[in-house]
Amino acid sequence: MELNPKIHQIPNATAHRLPIYYRSLKKLNEAGVERVKSKELSKMTQIPSATIRRDFSHFGELGRSGYGYEVVYVTEVFRELLNVNNIINVVLVGAGNLGQAILRNNFKKERNIIIKGAFDNDSSQFGKEISGIQILPMEQMKDFIISEQICTAICAVPSEVSQEVVEQLIDAGITSILNFAPGRIKVPVNIQMKYIDFSSEIFTMVYQNEALYPANLVEED
């Protein structure tokens, strides 16, 4: 199946929604649903139907007006786009409370994503095993990444050391990094950096909630 354009050539917002579409389409496929309209998919994903149609248009004629989308075909399109048939090996840096929680989960619902190694600079953590993954010293990280040919990392270290750690990851050959520290990191243009900032997300939700439900803020006399 030839798909054009590739994922990195589409808007970032569209790329972020692709896993949501895939999971929903996969559920429909497993339930034996043969076709779905954008309005029906909108109810499942909580994404406006107009946005769904616009996102899907980046990948050619996936459906027909008034008919909808063939679930099997579109599921396969997103499966290929997301490379879900391939195993994605990941390293985790930072084995504190957050890092250990990530290790315990280890993408149990995503069989194609596997944390292969975990690293920390706290000697009290060395040798500790969580979900079958042994925590190793940072000094072993580069050789491990190279030997396992890993390109993706999760960075769960404090903000004050995140720049240094990210530079070490890049030096080891990592090209995609998911960072849990709120501070922005300087990286080369060819490095994919994604940030998860819990406090920012909460502030955003509160702002949006106040915009949606301003009456909740009015005090009764």
Side-chain angles (χ1 to χ4, degrees):
M1 182 186 304
E2 293 185 3
L3 297 174
N4 188 32
K6 295 295 185 185
I7 236 176
H8 63 276
Q9 296 172 313
I10 67 174
N12 286 334
T14 298
H16 289 157
R17 288 188 286 266
L18 293 184
I20 301 173
Y21 295 141
Y22 173 70
R23 292 190 189 103
S24 299
L25 288 163
K26 185 179 178 183
K27 287 181 180 178
L28 291 171
N29 192 22
E30 291 171 348
V33 177
E34 295 183 356
R35 61 189 174 96
V36 63
K37 294 184 177 181
S38 59
K39 288 184 178 180
E40 297 165 335
L41 196 54
S42 175
K43 292 179 181 178
M44 292 184 65
T45 61
Q46 299 299 304
I47 297 171
S49 56
T51 301
I52 292 173
R53 291 193 295 271
R54 184 170 62 250
D55 286 346
F56 282 25
S57 70
H58 289 290
F59 311 106
E61 297 294 330
L62 297 185
R64 300 196 305 272
S65 179
Y67 179 82
Y69 303 96
E70 294 283 354
V71 172
V72 172
Y73 173 70
V74 182
T75 301
E76 185 58 33
V77 168
F78 287 114
R79 185 197 307 275
E80 186 167 329
L81 281 168
L82 295 168
N83 290 320
V84 297
N85 291 325
N86 298 330
I87 298 297
I88 302 172
N89 291 322
V90 180
V91 292
L92 170 76
V93 186
N97 292 334
L98 175 59
Q100 290 184 30
I102 295 171
L103 275 175
R104 290 189 183 94
N105 176 271
N106 202 354
F107 302 97
K108 291 175 182 177
K109 294 185 178 180
E110 300 289 345
R111 291 175 296 176
N112 300 84
I113 306 176
I114 302 171
I115 298 176
K116 293 286 287 186
F119 301 88
D120 202 284
N121 62 1
D122 182 357
S123 59
S124 67
Q125 302 289 353
F126 299 164
K128 180 184 292 186
E129 191 171 295
I130 300 174
S131 297
I133 303 298
Q134 192 177 67
I135 299 172
L136 302 173
M138 292 290 292
E139 290 76 16
Q140 298 182 28
M141 183 179 72
K142 183 174 182 177
D143 288 342
F144 183 91
I145 289 172
I146 294 172
S147 65
E148 295 291 331
Q149 298 182 325
I150 295 174
C151 299
T152 304
I154 299 171
C155 188
V157 301
S159 296
E160 57 267 24
V161 297
S162 57
Q163 179 72 54
E164 177 185 352
V165 169
V166 165
E167 290 174 0
Q168 293 179 44
L169 287 167
I170 294 171
D171 180 61
I174 294 295
T175 55
S176 301
I177 302 168
L178 181 64
N179 186 33
F180 279 86
R184 289 305 187 255
I185 306 297
K186 294 181 180 179
V187 297
V189 294
N190 62 317
I191 302 299
Q192 287 280 338
M193 282 288 299
K194 300 296 180 183
Y195 298 88
I196 296 181
D197 183 352
F198 295 123
S199 59
S200 293
E201 292 298 329
I202 291 174
F203 282 131
T204 300
M205 286 193 298
V206 170
Y207 169 78
Q208 292 173 336
N209 189 67
E210 291 175 352
L212 285 170
Y213 305 106
N216 292 344
L217 304 179
V218 177
E219 293 184 2
E220 296 183 358
D221 293 333

